[in-house]
């Protein structure tokens, strides 16, 4: 072999070696993990608001309008955002933080063997939902049947239902739905999401219809789920919670390795994520009016997670309004279900209301639901409807009506478009009062009628003051037929050490007066008579059955504030169902009384409901702890004995 040939062969071999080394180097470089993009879109507290709302009468299928929300718009918007993210080659998830059922009349269709909300959410592309307290409004058995009609357990492949701290008794029908405790989602070879779901303490407490379901401690459950998901290789841990913002912040403060909390229950509209230690907390308000959007980049090398919304010019909240062209397939389904709902409403009202979207009266102002530790315009209208509407139906004088803020679902917005100007609909009135179902199987809680003593009327006000001070404004009662003054500071005497549980004084109400005039309370503003704490005079009272369901707990743990419903002759009611009011063999629903009172308005709502009426006034008086020492000591002994650990069970 010639020297030249040997040199050429040696040179070729060197070149091949260099190429192999270089190829190996670049192969290793290209295999190194790069940033991983993904997007999470989210909603919460949809509450069966499947069609555009605020006001529903504003919506027009062919014209620009002021309505917001609607699942046919949401489906279109989420698909548009997902398509846009194909440029970043990223995965997009759509999730709900619970209470997708109950709140609008569409929830009534579940009593007609339908699963409208969840079926539509499946069609709209939701990947995952968790359960809120209102999913249990018709009871766990009804929820199990609802999930069965929605296609579960097979439907988990399309839209997973996750509830990590839900404990289902052995043999209960809910077990058949196969509800998952966690979800592992493989975004890429370099990124795995671990997701779990929680129902919060307050959410559990405010629904009396969850038995025999139980819910494990959310903090302990979160720790367990995070460890489990980490062991399964999750890089990013996400909690989908129905707990409320306060509990979500507490959860974030107590957890390590929790990257994101997508929350619900408190209906909080967070314009941007709340940063709590190393955890991001988000929530989108209510009723599908906004879609939350979170654009993330995960960096595998240092395992950090960053939001990219601001860098991309993407808002954290996308308003769902008339600028969005509805998804045609979803629109067709919602139109079909709307007609079905109209027919069902005519059926359950025996033909009295055939057009759910008719307007009973006009009003040129909004019904506010703010100022919730006092009377509100809508609260006054609502409780007047209970007292005066029921009085018109049943005959005789009704002295008082009570309703909790949490059962008066928001305010009321009249239409603003040329075709809907100043109108409201029966649909919207029902949406404010349509929760739960009665013993007769028809939707909505029934009206109840009972008799209470004068001292018990004041105790009702004390219970309102105490529970709302500790548990929030949803426990505060709106009233009709009386006015009173109270001091919020006097609602609690002190907090039990370690448990941080407040002990009530039963002395926050400074004065209370019964309205003795005819009609609404502004008709005769001087017609009042003082109520006495020591009087056993009986008064006729109407309220929501939900409130009577709570009284046994109050009576058990706070006996000095006990309220015992009675028959007209003063004998105690042994069964709260005896208080339910019937007409023609059917329960009279709260929403029906509201509709009846709306019909009594003669086309235009009275100006007296434009503002609050000072039915509830707040004043600051001397603190109970400033009372003479002996009296305070007696209070301490009595209250600790009466409340003790039992109070902990009541409020926690």
């Amino acid at each position: 072999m010639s020297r030249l040939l040997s040199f050429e062969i040696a040179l070729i071999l060197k070149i091949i070696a260099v190429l192999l080394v270089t190829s190996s180097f670049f192969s290793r470089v290209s295999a190194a993990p790069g940033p991983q993009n993904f997007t999470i879109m989210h909603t919460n507290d949809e509450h069966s608001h499947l069609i555009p709302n605020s006001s529903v009468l504003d919506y027009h299928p062919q014209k620009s309008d002021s309505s917001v929300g609607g699942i046919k718009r949401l489906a279109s918007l989420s698909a548009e955002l997902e398509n846009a993210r194909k440029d970043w080659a990223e995965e997009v998830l759509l999730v709900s933080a619970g209470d997708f059922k109950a709140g609008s009349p569409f929830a009534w269709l579940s009593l007609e063997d339908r699963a409208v909300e969840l079926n539509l959410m499946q069609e709209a592309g939701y990947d995952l939902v968790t359960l809120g307290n209102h999913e249990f409004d018709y009871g766990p058995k009804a929820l199990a049947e609802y999930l069965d009609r929605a296609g579960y357990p097979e439907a988990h492949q399309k839209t997973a239902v996750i509830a990590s701290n839900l404990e289902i008794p052995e043999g209960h029908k809910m077990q058949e739905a196969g509800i998952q405790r966690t979800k592992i989602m493989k975004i890429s070879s370099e990124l795995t999401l671990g997701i779990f779901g929680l129902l919060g303490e307050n959410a559990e407490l405010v629904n009396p219809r969850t038995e025999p379901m139980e819910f494990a401690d959310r903090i302990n459950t979160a720790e367990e789920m995070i460890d489990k998901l980490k062991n399964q290789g999750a890089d990013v841990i996400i909690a989908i919670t129905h707990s409320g913002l306060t509990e979500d912040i507490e959860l974030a403060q107590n957890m390590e390795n929790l990257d994101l909390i997508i929350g619900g229950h408190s209906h909080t509209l967070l314009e941007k994520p709340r940063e709590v230690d190393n955890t991001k907390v988000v929530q989108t308000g209510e009723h599908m009016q906004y879609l939350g959007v979170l654009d993330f980049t995960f960096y595998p090398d240092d395992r950090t997670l960053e939001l990219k919304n601001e860098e991309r010019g993407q808002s954290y909240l996308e308003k769902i309004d008339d600028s969005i062209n509805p998804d045609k397939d979803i629109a067709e389904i919602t139109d079909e279900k709307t007609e079905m709902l109209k027919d069902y409403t005519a059926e359950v009202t025996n033909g009295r209301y055939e057009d759910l979207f008719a307007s009973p009266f006009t009003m040129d102002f909004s019904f506010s639901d703010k100022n919730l530790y006092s009377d509100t315009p809508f609260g006054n209208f609502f409780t007047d409807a209970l007292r005066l509407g029921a009085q018109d139906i049943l005959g005789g004088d009704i002295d008082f009506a009570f309703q909790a803020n949490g059962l008066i679902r928001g305010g009321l917005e009249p239409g603003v478009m040329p075709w809907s100007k100043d109108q409201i609909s029966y649909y919207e009135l029902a949406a404010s009062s349509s929760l739960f179902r009665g013993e007769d199987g028809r939707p909505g809680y029934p009206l109840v009628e009972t008799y209470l003593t004068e001292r018990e009327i004041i105790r009702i006000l004390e219970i309102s003051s105490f529970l709302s001070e500790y548990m929030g404004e949803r426990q505060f009662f709106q009233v009709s037929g009386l006015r009173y003054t109270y001091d919020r500071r006097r609602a609690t005497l002190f907090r039990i050490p370690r448990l941080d549980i407040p002990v009530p004084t039963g002395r926050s109400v400074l004065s209370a007066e019964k309205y003795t005039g005819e009609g609404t309370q502004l008709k005769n503003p001087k017609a009042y008579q003082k109520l006495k704490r020591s009087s056993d005079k009986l008064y006729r009272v109407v309220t929501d059955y939900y409130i009577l369901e709570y009284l046994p707990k109050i009576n058990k743990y706070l006996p000095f504030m006990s309220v015992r419903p009675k028959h007209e002759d003063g004998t105690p009611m042994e069964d709260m169902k005896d208080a339910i009011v019937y007409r023609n063999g059917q329960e009279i629903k709260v929403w029906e009384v509201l509709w009846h009172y709306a019909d009594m308005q003669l086309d235009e709502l009275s100006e007296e409901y434009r503002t609050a009426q000072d039915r509830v006034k707040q004043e600051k008086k001397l603190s109970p702890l400033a009372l003479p020492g002996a009296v305070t000591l007696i209070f301490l002994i009595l209250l600790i004995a009466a409340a003790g650990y039992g109070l902990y069970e009541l409020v926690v």
Side-chain angles (χ1 to χ4, degrees):
M1 184 181 295
S2 69
R3 279 183 147 187
L4 179 60
L5 181 59
S6 298
F7 174 78
E8 289 175 347
I9 291 173
L11 180 61
I12 290 171
L13 290 174
K14 286 183 179 180
I15 292 172
I16 291 173
V18 170
L19 288 174
L20 287 173
V21 171
T22 305
S23 174
S24 175
F25 170 77
F26 280 112
S27 176
R28 288 196 302 272
V29 169
S30 62
Q36 306 291 305
N37 297 322
F38 68 99
T39 294
I40 296 181
M41 298 182 290
H42 59 102
T43 60
N44 57 272
D45 297 283
E46 299 84 4
H47 285 294
S48 302
H49 283 273
L50 302 176
I51 59 177
N53 53 83
S54 297
S55 154
V56 295
L57 298 181
D58 283 344
Y59 175 72
H60 197 290
Q62 284 88 38
K63 298 179 181 180
S64 178
D65 65 71
S66 63
S67 67
V68 293
I71 194 165
K72 57 188 175 184
R73 290 172 173 170
L74 182 143
S76 178
L77 175 61
S78 62
E80 177 186 334
L81 292 172
E82 182 171 359
N83 286 334
R85 275 144 186 78
K86 290 180 179 178
D87 294 339
W88 293 299
E90 65 189 58
E91 290 290 329
V92 179
L93 304 177
L94 176 58
V95 305
S96 166
D99 271 6
F100 51 84
K101 279 180 84 269
S104 94
F106 277 101
W108 297 353
L109 292 178
S110 65
L111 301 175
E112 283 284 278
D113 297 329
R114 310 285 176 178
V116 178
E117 299 89 350
L118 203 43
N119 282 152
L120 276 167
M121 293 173 83
Q122 291 165 356
E123 292 300 317
Y126 277 83
D127 296 283
L128 183 147
V129 302
T130 195
L131 298 177
N133 51 295
H134 283 291
E135 270 66 80
F136 294 90
D137 274 7
Y138 297 162
K141 182 175 181 293
L143 175 58
E145 293 168 350
Y146 177 94
L147 292 170
D148 179 62
R149 293 193 296 271
Y152 292 90
E154 292 79 7
H156 286 296
Q157 298 299 317
K158 192 170 190 177
T159 305
V161 179
I162 296 182
S164 304
N165 63 332
L166 172 64
E167 297 181 342
I168 305 173
E170 190 70 31
H172 194 280
K173 187 173 176 61
M174 277 283 286
Q175 287 192 328
E176 298 175 10
I179 293 173
Q180 302 176 12
R181 298 195 76 197
T182 60
K183 181 76 171 179
I184 285 285
M185 305 190 79
K186 196 79 173 175
I187 299 300
S188 70
S189 61
E190 303 299 334
L191 176 59
T192 300
L193 305 184
I195 304 173
F196 65 97
L198 294 175
L199 187 83
E201 292 173 359
N202 181 268
E204 177 192 357
L205 178 65
V206 297
N207 192 328
R209 298 285 180 99
T210 58
E211 293 182 354
M213 302 296 110
E214 294 184 356
F215 296 88
D217 180 84
R218 61 192 177 85
I219 301 294
N220 293 339
T221 300
E223 291 175 342
E224 178 187 348
M225 295 303 105
I226 291 171
D227 287 344
K228 177 181 178 180
L229 291 166
K230 280 291 184 184
N231 290 335
Q232 291 177 333
D235 301 295
V236 175
I237 305 292
I238 301 167
I240 314 293
T241 70
H242 195 81
S243 304
L245 183 59
T246 299
E247 289 187 26
D248 284 343
I249 290 173
E250 180 189 1
L251 179 66
Q253 291 170 336
N254 282 276
M255 291 297 116
E256 294 183 0
N257 301 316
L258 180 56
D259 298 289
L260 174 65
I261 298 175
I262 298 174
H265 186 56
S266 57
H267 296 214
T268 307
L269 186 65
L270 292 177
E271 295 184 358
K272 62 184 301 184
R274 182 80 62 89
E275 296 280 350
V276 182
D277 296 335
N278 294 317
T279 305
K280 298 169 180 63
V281 181
V282 296
Q283 199 175 147
T284 62
E286 61 186 7
H287 303 169
M288 291 189 185
Q289 295 182 359
Y290 289 89
L291 176 66
V293 182
L294 302 169
D295 286 333
F296 285 109
T297 297
F298 176 73
Y299 296 93
D301 52 352
D302 60 1
R303 313 194 70 74
T304 58
L305 182 68
E306 290 186 7
L307 276 167
K308 296 296 184 178
N309 287 56
E310 294 174 20
E311 180 180 311
R312 290 181 176 181
Q314 170 64 57
S315 62
Y316 295 107
L317 294 174
E318 290 280 355
K319 191 171 185 178
I320 302 173
D321 58 21
D322 70 330
S323 65
I324 302 165
N325 292 320
D327 180 282
K328 292 182 179 179
D329 293 335
I330 302 293
E332 185 176 334
I333 298 172
T334 54
D335 289 346
E336 173 193 334
K337 302 308 179 187
T338 300
E339 291 305 312
M340 187 182 297
L341 178 59
K342 289 180 180 179
D343 293 340
Y344 180 68
T345 304
E347 178 186 334
V348 297
T349 61
N350 297 316
R352 290 192 303 274
Y353 296 95
E354 295 187 354
D355 187 358
L356 187 62
F357 296 94
S359 178
F361 59 77
T362 61
M363 52 188 289
D364 63 354
F365 53 89
S366 298
F367 257 150
S368 170
D369 64 341
K370 305 306 179 186
N371 192 28
L372 293 175
Y373 289 96
S374 185
D375 63 309
T376 68
F378 195 27
N380 292 336
F381 173 83
F382 200 111
T383 50
D384 279 355
L386 295 186
R387 182 173 68 90
L388 300 175
Q391 187 171 281
D392 191 65
I393 295 171
L394 303 176
D397 291 334
I398 294 177
D399 299 297
F400 305 109
F402 300 95
Q403 182 70 315
N405 279 336
L407 297 174
I408 302 175
R409 309 294 294 180
L412 199 63
E413 296 289 336
V416 298
M417 304 307 297
W419 56 85
S420 61
K421 182 69 172 173
D422 296 340
Q423 296 179 45
I424 60 96
S425 66
Y426 291 108
Y427 173 94
E428 289 159 309
L429 285 167
S432 71
S433 57
S434 63
L435 297 177
F436 300 96
R437 70 172 173 182
E439 295 295 318
D440 63 354
R442 294 165 67 237
Y445 258 148
L447 182 78
V448 293
E449 174 189 3
T450 189
Y451 288 80
L452 301 177
T453 65
E454 199 162 330
R455 75 173 78 222
E456 287 174 322
I457 296 299
I458 295 178
R459 285 177 180 174
I460 286 279
L461 305 179
E462 293 287 0
I463 290 169
S464 168
S465 175
F466 168 66
L467 289 183
S468 62
E469 193 63 23
Y470 182 64
M471 296 170 60
E473 47 79 19
R474 293 186 183 187
Q475 312 303 316
F476 193 84
F477 288 176
Q478 298 293 314
V479 301
S480 178
L482 63 83
R483 66 185 183 191
Y484 71 100
T485 302
Y486 82 115
D487 185 346
R488 285 180 61 185
R489 302 177 310 154
R490 295 165 59 98
T492 60
L493 187 62
F494 69 101
R495 291 179 177 266
I496 299 174
R498 296 184 183 178
L499 298 178
D500 193 33
I501 300 300
V503 175
T505 65
R507 290 293 184 210
S508 66
V509 176
L510 306 178
S511 66
E513 299 172 292
K514 178 188 181 299
Y515 178 61
T516 58
E518 297 291 328
T520 59
Q521 290 176 227
L522 289 186
K523 291 287 191 294
N524 192 345
K526 295 184 179 180
Y528 284 91
Q529 176 183 321
K530 187 174 182 180
L531 294 174
K532 300 176 183 178
R533 288 183 182 271
S534 58
S535 173
D536 287 325
K537 182 178 179 179
L538 285 176
Y539 288 102
R540 189 183 183 195
V541 177
V542 292
T543 187
D544 191 310
Y545 185 73
Y546 178 96
I547 293 175
L548 288 197
E549 282 191 306
Y550 256 123
L551 287 181
K553 283 187 176 182
I554 300 292
N555 296 342
K556 179 179 179 180
Y557 297 123
L558 301 174
F560 63 96
M561 294 173 70
S562 66
V563 175
R564 302 188 183 279
K566 301 169 186 64
H567 296 283
E568 186 174 4
D569 62 3
T571 58
M573 286 183 176
E574 299 299 329
D575 188 341
M576 294 299 104
K577 294 175 184 176
D578 292 343
I580 295 173
V581 181
Y582 291 86
R583 175 172 57 185
N584 300 326
Q586 289 185 328
E587 296 174 354
I588 298 179
K589 304 297 184 178
V590 169
W591 56 264
E592 287 183 292
V593 180
L594 204 61
W595 285 6
H596 183 81
Y597 188 64
D599 292 338
M600 292 169 60
Q601 300 308 303
L602 302 177
D603 299 329
E604 186 175 357
L605 188 62
S606 171
E607 282 288 317
E608 65 188 289
Y609 292 115
R610 184 179 288 272
T611 60
Q613 300 175 15
D614 287 334
R615 295 184 186 183
V616 184
K617 291 184 178 180
Q618 294 188 44
E619 287 188 8
K620 293 183 178 180
K621 294 292 184 180
L622 197 64
S623 168
L625 289 175
L627 295 172
V631 176
T632 301
L633 182 59
I634 292 173
F635 258 120
L636 290 172
I637 294 172
L638 289 176
L639 291 171
I640 293 174
Y645 198 81
L647 184 60
Y648 177 78
E649 294 181 24
L650 170 66
V651 296
V652 176

